Amino acid sequence: MPGLTYFFIRKILARFTTFFVILTLTFIIPRLLPGGAFAYLIANPSVPPDLRQVYIKEFGLDKPIWEQYVIFLRQFFTTGNIGLSFSRLEPVSKVIMDALPWTISLVTTSLIVSAVVGILTGMFAAYRRGGGFDTASMGIFMFIRSMPGFWLGMVLLIIFGYYLGWAPLFGAYTYGVVYSSPILKFLDILKHMWLPMLTLIILTIPGYHVLMRNSIIGLMGEDFVTVARAKGFSDRDLLIKHVFRPASLPILTSLAIDIGFSVSGVMLIENVFSIPGVGRLAYQAVYQQDYPLLLGIVIYTSALTLILVTIVEVMYSLIDPRVKLE
């Protein structure tokens, strides 16, 4: 337990240092842009003078750069906010938190299902290496992997939404409807969300399949597997009892990184299906030059990714005894 505590504290300090660097870069980069990130607001003649003064005061643009940096850090660590959204005139943290549940539900559900399916198909492909299933699955998954996400989403939307009518054409829920019970609300959201979830599942299964297959094939040549085979274990028992746990470590790492990245990386999927999540929010922030909102998304998704990766690193030692807490 002391070793685990020391390992955990050391990882937290390392991740906090990384996060502090990210915070610093998000403060500096907009101010290094030609004219500054706020120039089109401050120097834009169409912006009313009163609103211009509000922006200058809100972002501390009338203060020295070092003082702006201190205010930026103090504001984030005390309130979790980094300023006001240009386009929505609301705190950035509030705007992100309103959109985050939609993306989290879409991403986590899809990636967990993808990981489970990819693990099972990857195990069977490795067990039947070189067989018909292995060859066919690799060909199919490589074809899927080459598909652009937005193209696949549009194809599924046309088929299941337009022609078959099995899914709504846009949105995460029916606008203007008052639900009489939470169950009806859940069913309406599920009706809107199942198709974008299916799209993301189809796109992400190949990565987990190939990763699991190759991990198992690589481990089957290790010394501990050779010893277990010499003791009379069948290939099936070797796969389930000896190889599965260490082979799942890369899957955990990939899953943690994918969840953190996909929070803002599902931009195209959310735009195709008009899901009001963080990905669509990031697209709108770029289009509207809403730098505080865009940088807030970077900060929050970076924090989520760092937290997930740290948790996975601690779980490594619990899953595979060969991994030491160093």
Side-chain angles (χ1 to χ4, degrees), residues 40-303:
Y40 85 102
L41 286 174
I42 306 305
N44 191 345
S46 63
V47 177
D50 293 342
L51 184 58
R52 186 181 299 117
Q53 292 302 317
V54 170
Y55 282 133
I56 292 175
K57 184 177 181 180
E58 173 66 26
F59 295 100
L61 301 179
D62 54 343
K63 298 180 176 62
I65 190 71
W66 67 266
E67 190 173 349
Q68 294 182 39
Y69 180 63
V70 172
I71 294 173
F72 172 81
L73 293 178
R74 184 173 65 243
Q75 186 178 27
F76 177 79
F77 285 112
T78 55
T79 66
N81 192 34
I82 61 168
L84 198 67
S85 168
F86 287 169
S87 59
R88 300 168 187 263
L89 298 181
E90 292 182 320
V92 168
S93 58
K94 180 182 182 302
V95 176
I96 295 175
M97 288 304 172
D98 288 343
L100 194 59
W102 297 109
T103 300
I104 290 294
S105 60
L106 171 63
V107 168
T108 54
T109 304
S110 303
L111 291 183
I112 289 174
V113 173
S114 300
V116 172
V117 176
I119 287 172
L120 294 177
T121 57
M123 288 178 62
F124 189 74
Y127 182 68
R128 299 291 188 182
R129 181 183 181 185
F133 177 80
D134 184 27
T135 303
S137 61
M138 286 296 290
I140 293 172
F141 287 145
M142 290 301 99
F143 173 72
I144 294 175
R145 193 71 173 177
S146 65
M147 293 181 181
F150 70 91
W151 179 85
L152 178 62
M154 292 177 65
V155 170
L156 294 179
L157 188 61
I158 292 172
I159 294 174
F160 292 102
Y162 182 76
Y163 286 109
L164 297 178
W166 292 358
L169 295 177
F170 65 91
Y173 55 90
T174 303
Y175 296 100
V177 172
V178 178
Y179 303 100
S180 58
S181 69
I183 295 178
L184 293 177
K185 181 178 181 180
F186 172 78
L187 292 176
D188 184 51
I189 293 175
L190 182 62
K191 180 181 178 181
H192 285 76
M193 295 290 284
W194 75 267
L195 193 55
M197 286 181 181
L198 177 63
T199 305
L200 195 56
I201 288 171
I202 293 174
L203 290 171
T204 51
I205 283 178
Y208 294 115
H209 170 88
V210 174
L211 189 59
M212 190 66 181
R213 173 189 179 275
N214 293 344
S215 296
I216 291 177
I217 291 175
L219 287 170
M220 292 300 285
E222 294 287 336
D223 292 339
F224 74 93
V225 176
T226 303
V227 172
R229 184 179 283 115
K231 291 181 178 180
F233 285 94
S234 64
D235 286 344
R236 180 176 177 275
D237 290 336
L238 284 172
L239 182 63
I240 296 175
K241 297 180 180 180
H242 295 273
V243 177
F244 172 73
R245 289 175 63 186
S248 64
L249 293 179
I251 297 291
L252 280 175
T253 304
S254 179
L255 186 61
I257 294 175
D258 286 348
I259 291 176
F261 172 77
S262 295
V263 168
S264 59
V266 293
M267 180 187 302
L268 296 178
I269 300 298
E270 289 186 351
N271 273 281
V272 168
F273 294 94
S274 300
I275 305 297
V278 176
R280 184 173 174 83
L281 195 65
Y283 170 81
Q284 293 172 343
V286 172
Y287 181 76
Q288 297 168 344
Q289 300 184 29
D290 194 338
Y291 290 99
L293 180 56
L294 183 61
L295 296 177
I297 293 172
V298 172
I299 290 173
Y300 277 86
T301 54
S302 298

